[in-house]
Amino acid sequence: MGEVDPAFIQDLEHRPKLSIIEAEGIPSIDLSVLNSPDAVSDPSTLDSLVSEIGNACKNWGFFQIINHGVPLERRQKLENASRKFFAQPLEEKLKIRRDEVKVSGYYDAENTKNVRDWKEVFDFIVQNPTTVPASTRPDDNSVVEWHNQWPDYPPELREASEEYAEELEKLAYKLMELIALSLGLPTDRFHSFFKDQTSFIRLNHYPPCLAPDLALGVGRHKDGGALTILAQDDVGGLEVKRKSDGEWIRVKPTPDAFIINVGDIIQVWSNETYESVEHRVMVNSERERFSIPFFFNPAHYTIVKPLEELTSEKIPPRYRPYNWGKFLVTRKGSNFKKLDVENIQIYHFRI
């Protein structure tokens, strides 16, 4: 077992298999039509894209996008700054350690499903400051502000992060428009939910692991927000649970592509037309891995419930409404301590 702390070791049933099934099946979708005059002159080109997005959301819950319009240099600038930040001695990184009050910054002891993840992270919020509920108590309507904290080194990290966030936010709105159209909704149906968004970006570093058969970079989970846009390096490690047979499938890295996955909120909004899918991250014994997920989340005061347009007498709502801000702060709090019970999940609100 080498030097792997027992806190990292997965239960037998959840340990990774080292034999890999690579996913040819995860759809790759070309967004170049969005930046093309043809989309205006020939609506069928947009219809075809919308159909691809809808099928990917329905059949996989995951897809890759290419020709997405995000300048490669923005991504590379942040990737380079991220590598410099994580290469520092631990005591430097701990100067901006995240805690229950300062939720942005550095952290190296996150749990998923009560097992410690083999990774270290740096989080920053997209809208600075971000307003959230002050507590998890349903009767407490007070709010607090979350603020970013930035390291002294590398000095370019803040600018690189903010520039990247600006580009990813634009892309997230475009994707939400396509998802709205694929559900038969108006293009801007989701826009108002994100006016005071609680989105954040995470820089992940997965060091080499002596026992990749015992630990996971991130344990199996579903994303609680609306949409995730992931940039991963060439090492790979993301695995998706295939809906058709429950098999774990490795997502092969594609240069300059983003991996998109539907989060729990879209599952609820769509009344389960689309589903959030379990995924996890494998580690390996030789190469470190870096990734950057952007978590697109609505305003804290959003009451998440199936959209009226997608429900009827024949298709009643499958979820009770819940407050996104309370859900978010409950989830965030669980990062800092092991829970005696399972963390809050959307199925707790299922009718």
Side-chain angles (χ1 to χ4, degrees), residues 68-76 164 167 170 256 258:
H68 39 68
V70 175
L72 181 59
E73 59 271 19
R74 290 266 169 113
R75 175 170 166 171
Q76 287 172 333
Y164 183 79
E167 293 293 338
K170 286 189 279 192
D256 194 28
F258 286 111

Side-chain angles (χ1 to χ4, degrees), residues 270-282:
S270 74
N271 207 29
E272 291 187 357
T273 302
Y274 300 154
E275 276 180 62
S276 175
V277 171
E278 256 192 337
H279 49 290
R280 66 184 187 183
V281 175
M282 298 270 286

Side-chain angles (χ1 to χ4, degrees), residues 53 56-58 60-63 179 222-228 260-268 270 274-279:
I53 295 275
C57 289
K58 200 174 191 114
W60 279 93
F62 266 82
F63 53 95
I179 289 169
K222 298 180 178 186
D223 291 349
L227 193 75
T228 305
I260 312 300
N261 67 281
V262 165
D264 287 345
I265 291 177
I266 287 180
Q267 177 168 323
V268 175
S270 74
Y274 300 154
E275 276 180 62
S276 175
V277 171
E278 256 192 337
H279 49 290

